[in-house]
Amino acid sequence: MRIDEIILRELHMPLLRPFQTSFGVTQNRRILLAEIRSEGLIGWGECTAGEHPFFSAESTDSAWQILCNELAPMLAAESPEHGGECPRIFKAVRGNPMAKAALENAIWDLEAQREGIPLAQLIGGVRDSVPCGVSLGIQSSIPELMAIIERELEAGYRRIKLKCKLGWDVDVFERVRNRWPQILLSCDANSAYRLHDQEHLESFDEFDLLMIEQPLWHDDFYFHSMLQKRLRTPICLDESIRNRRDALAAVEMESCRIINIKLGRVGGFSEAIAVHNAALERGIPVWCGGMLESGIGRAHNIALSTLEGFTLPGDVSASARYWAEDIVEPEVTVMRDGHIAIPDSPGRGYEARTELIDRLTVRKETVRAVALVV
Ligand code: OSB
Ligand code: MG
C-alpha cells in the first residue's frame, strides 16, 4: 500500500454532559484523528488520549507531538500492506500506545477497504451484533443517578457501570441494587482505593457486582492479586493491561478474572487481538472499554467487540449519549435489545463526515513520505 499522505487533526468536541471519574471531570474533548490516504482509499484512526495525563501518561498534546514528529514520518516511509506490520514499524518508539493506535487502526481500516470486506471480518469477528453497556460518571446526587439509570435501561442497555470512589460507592450501590435487584451492575474505581481500603472493598461483595474495575494502582498486578483472594466479586483490570504479556501476568497471578481491552491503551488492533487471544485461551472473559470516543474510534471499538472472547457487554454505546452531532454517518445507534448491528460495508463501516470534521478542526498537519531523489 503506497501511503500518499497522512493528515493529522485536532478536533474540539464538547460532550453533551460532563463526565466525572475518580481522577477528574471531562467536559470538552480534544480529539486527534489520523486520516491516511492511500491509492484512492482513505483510512481513519482516532487517538484516545485524554486532555490531561490522568488516565495514563499520554495526553492530547503529548500524542500530537509524537504523532507529527515521530510516528507519522516512520509510517509514511514504510508503506505497510497490513495493520499487523505497525508494531514493528513503531518499535523504536517506547510507550505512546494511544498515538500508535491512531495510525495502526487507520491502516487496518484501509486494509479492510482494499480487501472489500468489513473491518470486523478482517480481524476474524464472529458476531453480527454486539451487546452494549453504559459507563455512568459520578453524579451530584443519587436521585440524579437513579433517573439516568432508568433512562439507560429503558433504552435497552444491558449492563450499568458506575464510576466510583470513596464517598460515592456503597451507599450508591445499595440504592441501585434495591431498586434493580437483577441487572448486570459493575463499578470502575480508576485506581481510587489503596490497601487500607481492603475491608471497605470487601463490603462491595454484598451487591452482587459483575466486577470491580481497577480498584488499586494503575500499574499494579501484585496487590490486585492479594485483593482478589479476599473478594468474591471478580476484579477487572483496565489501566494495568498494556499488552499481551501484562494479560498473561495478570491471569497467572490471579490479579483479575476479567479483562477490559481498549484499543488505545494497548496500542492498536494487533495488540488488542493478542490480548484477546491470550484471554480466550485461558477462559478469561473480555469486553471493550471506551474512552469517550468520536464515531471514528467508536467504529473501531465495535469491530473489535465482534471477536469471540468479547462475551460481556462493553462500554460501547450510541453517539447520541455523547455528542450533539457525531462526525460519522450514520451515527452509532443501539437497537431496542441493547445491541449495535455490525455494518456490512467495507472497512470501518461508518463514513467520516469530512465537512463537519473540517469545521471542528483546530489544528492540522500533513505528513508525506520524503521523496527519494536519485
Ligand atoms: O476507565 O473506562 C474508563 C472514560 C475515560 C477514561 C477512562 C474510562 C472512561 C470510561 C468511559 O469509563 C467509557 C465511555 O466511553 O463511555
Ligand atoms: Mg476503566
Side-chain angles (χ1 to χ4, degrees), residues 19 55 135 161 163 188 190 213 238 262 290-292 322:
F19 186 78
F55 172 81
S135 172
K161 161 172 138 181
K163 289 291 187 180
D188 185 357
N190 290 112
E213 192 177 335
D238 173 356
K262 287 180 176 166
M291 292 291 285
L292 310 173
Y322 305 82

Side-chain angles (χ1 to χ4, degrees), residues 21 23 55 135 161 163 187-191 213-214 236-239 260 262 265 287 289-291 315:
T21 68
F23 60 77
F55 172 81
S135 172
K161 161 172 138 181
K163 289 291 187 180
C187 69
D188 185 357
N190 290 112
S191 306
E213 192 177 335
Q214 201 74 33
C236 169
L237 290 180
D238 173 356
E239 284 89 329
N260 165 332
K262 287 180 176 166
R265 198 194 64 227
W287 53 279
M291 292 291 285
D315 280 349

